[in-house]
Amino acid sequence: MRRFNLIRLSSVLLLWVTSFSLAYGDAENFADSLKAGEETGLLTIDAAYAREASGLRRVSSPCGSSNCDTSGNRPMNETIPGADFINRDFIASLEITRTAPGTDLIWFGFGDGSTEGIFSEPNNAIQFRIHAGGLAGSRIDLTSILNGSFTNIVDGDGVTFPGSTTEFIIERQGDNVTISIPALGTSKTLTISGDLGGVLNASNSRLFFGNTSVGTVFSNFRVSSAPIGDPVPPLSDPAPNINWAQWQSMTPGPETSGQYVDTSVFGTITTPTATVNVTYNNPQGVAGPWSGLPGVQLNDTGIDY
């Protein structure tokens, strides 16, 4: 926990605090909560989805809140162009929640992910194929697809999607790609060479996720990677908001004016905490703004917790 002290520079200090979201890491190592106001700029988000307080939700679909095979109705969200996962080992994690009644078909995968394949499903990829809301018994397929045909048996792998928030993990080590669901105790290892037939390259090796009908929420997307053969760092939590405060020394004007006119001292403090609760010694209890400056009057010292 980081602490800052503001030293009294004159009889009164003004403080104002602003927040912004920090994009941390790079295109192949980052975390994105997928919540509103916490964009990293490291994912390409389709217009059918919206960031909300709980995460990224599919908000428009010609199918409404039930699954259908309408052509072009399965847009994916994906890592940005230039994120090259063909030459990197990695671990990626995503949480998925079904918040609406009705059925859905959901994907989280590694590979091309373009949706020109069978029934507009993501193509040329190793992926989770998640049925929700009772569709096909809510089974989860840990599978792969190459040139529009499944290269792994689609049988549900003995697990079903509960609909509650569930973490899905994709981990690559060399030629092997393991997809797993820790809470359900299941995993499967496939190979890039055997299951995807050499179709992946630097331009189409991405991480992607998406679904068919309105109501599914994606949250806490994280990826950590390293050159093939190097240790992959642990996954990190989504980057916090950065909060900063600016202050100025102010000399009181005439008692009746309510104006503070001297701005001879100016500074900035920064903290990486997600939210900042600021408590200052202000026995006079006088509030700003003054001279058109937004803020709260301070005097003596202040501590930012």
Side-chain angles (χ1 to χ4, degrees), residues 44 66 75 186 258 275:
T44 300
S66 293
T186 191
T275 57

Side-chain angles (χ1 to χ4, degrees), residues 30-32 34 43 79 93-94 108 207 209 219-223:
F30 69 97
D32 189 326
L34 301 177
L43 289 169
T79 48
S93 170
L94 178 68
F108 173 36
L207 293 161
F209 57 91
S219 57
N220 292 324
F221 177 85
R222 301 179 292 162
V223 60

Side-chain angles (χ1 to χ4, degrees), residues 45-192:
I45 304 298
D46 188 88
Y49 301 82
R51 289 178 181 260
E52 298 179 345
S54 59
L56 187 74
R57 186 171 70 92
R58 180 83 189 259
V59 293
S60 64
S61 169
C63 299
S65 59
S66 293
N67 179 67
C68 67
D69 295 329
T70 302
S71 177
N73 181 45
R74 287 162 172 169
M76 294 294 113
N77 309 289
E78 58 193 35
T79 48
I80 61 174
D84 172 16
F85 291 100
I86 192 62
N87 295 312
R88 301 183 74 83
D89 288 341
F90 64 83
I91 181 170
S93 170
L94 178 68
E95 294 177 358
I96 302 175
T97 311
R98 180 64 182 169
T99 61
T103 57
D104 199 9
L105 193 52
I106 309 162
W107 294 266
F108 173 36
F110 161 62
D112 188 344
S114 57
T115 54
E116 292 84 15
I118 184 172
F119 301 122
S120 293
E121 295 194 18
N123 197 15
N124 296 332
I126 293 171
Q127 61 191 343
F128 294 99
R129 188 171 180 264
I130 306 159
H131 300 76
L135 179 68
S138 295
R139 78 178 193 225
I140 303 174
D141 304 325
L142 288 72
T143 189
S144 56
I145 186 171
L146 174 63
N147 297 326
S149 298
F150 292 107
T151 53
N152 232 274
I153 297 174
V154 180
D155 59 3
D157 293 283
V159 291
T160 58
F161 181 46
S164 56
T165 301
T166 304
E167 181 187 29
F168 295 82
I169 293 177
I170 303 174
E171 184 171 6
R172 179 191 178 181
Q173 291 182 315
D175 192 43
N176 294 329
V177 179
T178 299
I179 49 181
S180 62
I181 313 166
L184 302 182
T186 191
S187 67
K188 178 184 281 187
T189 299
L190 302 100
T191 64
I192 296 171

Side-chain angles (χ1 to χ4, degrees), residues 193-277:
S193 59
D195 292 290
L196 297 182
V199 299
L200 297 186
N201 54 53
S203 65
N204 68 2
S205 299
R206 58 183 67 93
L207 293 161
F208 63 87
F209 57 91
N211 68 303
T212 305
S213 64
V214 169
T216 293
V217 173
F218 301 93
S219 57
N220 292 324
F221 177 85
R222 301 179 292 162
V223 60
S224 181
S225 72
I228 291 176
D230 288 354
V232 174
L235 290 170
S236 298
D237 291 330
N241 284 345
I242 291 297
N243 298 268
W244 78 85
Q246 295 178 326
W247 68 95
Q248 291 179 288
S249 69
M250 308 297 282
T251 300
E255 288 290 329
T256 57
S257 72
Q259 300 296 304
Y260 292 80
V261 295
D262 177 16
T263 59
S264 59
V265 180
F266 183 86
T268 301
I269 55 175
T270 304
T271 171
T273 51
T275 57
V276 175
N277 297 315

